[in-house]
Amino acid sequence: MPQARLHITLPDSVWVGAVSGEYPDVRFRVLAALPSDDESGVGLLELEGQDLPSVVGAIERDEGVSSLDLLESSPESVLVQFTTTQPLLLLSMRDAGIPLELPIVIEGGTATVDITAPHEQLSALKTQFDMLGVDFDVAYLYETTSTERLLTDRQEEIVASAIEHGYYDTPRTSTLTELAEELDIAKSTLSETLHRAEGRIVKQFGERLAP
């Protein structure tokens, strides 16, 4: 099944494109979205950044937003429920037969959308965007061809712990010795387990890059 990440340039004629373009340092995260019978859309939107009261005011004033309710507020984040007559992404994905994967992050008028769908539906989505004059870039596209698990449960546990403790940070904030002590296993066992897990991850990534 193809998996893709799209960077979609939202038109200024759509409220979220206009407002996020006006406030490029604010992150818009669509946490939930649902189409209504009248082709409008209802959603939950989290805003993160500065000057959020001004952003909320800009959203409320836009003609594409028919209602806006403030649910939670703090100096750095706001949660609102909105109803819009311009659910561009929601309706485009629906008409292409593609489920909407949430959250969707929007910054500076560009939405980042992850999609898992057959090629036919991806083509249908491209047709929808072409009809609407919506530009997009493909950040990546790859095909998952196997249901075999990449890592064992133990490998997943150890790799997750290595990430959490900063073993893969640059510079590293945890050494192999410190990680082994944290996991209460021998350093040699940890090294071998990580090496095997890293090998499988790199090989699968290489297969995706192969022509």
Side-chain angles (χ1 to χ4, degrees):
M1 179 78 72
Q3 296 183 354
R5 170 167 290 179
L6 306 182
H7 294 313
I8 303 168
T9 302
L10 300 173
D12 288 341
S13 57
V14 176
W15 72 269
V16 69
V19 179
S20 64
E22 183 180 354
Y23 296 91
D25 295 330
V26 173
R27 172 176 289 189
F28 293 61
R29 295 178 71 239
V30 180
L31 305 180
L34 183 69
S36 300
D37 293 338
D38 59 356
E39 298 293 287
S40 62
V42 179
L44 282 178
L45 176 66
E46 182 183 57
L47 305 171
E48 297 176 332
Q50 303 298 317
D51 197 19
L52 296 181
S54 296
V55 181
V56 172
I59 296 173
E60 199 165 21
R61 289 190 299 271
D62 196 287
E63 294 181 355
V65 177
S66 50
S67 70
L68 186 72
D69 295 306
L70 182 63
L71 303 181
E72 295 179 9
S73 178
S74 73
E76 279 132 18
S77 69
V78 166
L79 181 66
V80 298
Q81 178 174 306
F82 66 90
T83 303
T84 176
T85 57
Q86 302 170 334
L88 174 70
L89 293 179
L90 186 61
L91 296 185
S92 296
M93 302 281 279
R94 184 201 66 183
D95 292 346
I98 298 175
L100 194 65
E101 296 185 27
L102 298 167
I104 292 175
V105 176
I106 303 168
E107 293 178 292
T110 298
T112 299
V113 179
D114 292 327
I115 294 173
T116 303
H119 286 289
E120 294 81 4
Q121 291 176 338
L122 292 176
S123 296
L125 181 61
K126 180 180 183 304
T127 299
Q128 289 288 325
F129 285 157
D130 288 344
M131 290 171 54
L132 295 169
V134 174
D135 295 326
F136 67 93
D137 294 320
V138 179
Y140 63 70
L141 173 64
Y142 62 83
E143 186 103 20
T144 55
T145 57
S146 174
T147 58
E148 180 184 357
R149 287 190 60 184
L150 180 61
L151 303 179
T152 66
D153 289 339
R154 184 56 172 162
Q155 287 173 335
E156 287 182 357
E157 178 186 348
I158 288 177
V159 169
S161 183
I163 294 171
E164 178 184 355
H165 289 88
Y167 180 73
Y168 292 110
D169 290 353
T170 303
R172 282 180 175 167
T173 57
S174 177
T175 66
L176 191 66
T177 300
E178 291 169 340
L179 188 58
E181 292 175 353
E182 181 69 29
L183 294 170
D184 195 23
I185 60 176
K187 182 178 175 180
S188 59
T189 301
L190 174 61
S191 177
E192 181 180 357
T193 303
L194 283 176
H195 180 72
R196 289 180 181 274
E198 291 162 357
R200 298 201 68 181
I201 293 169
V202 170
K203 286 178 181 177
Q204 186 185 73
F205 182 73
E207 290 174 358
R208 293 173 183 170
L209 295 180

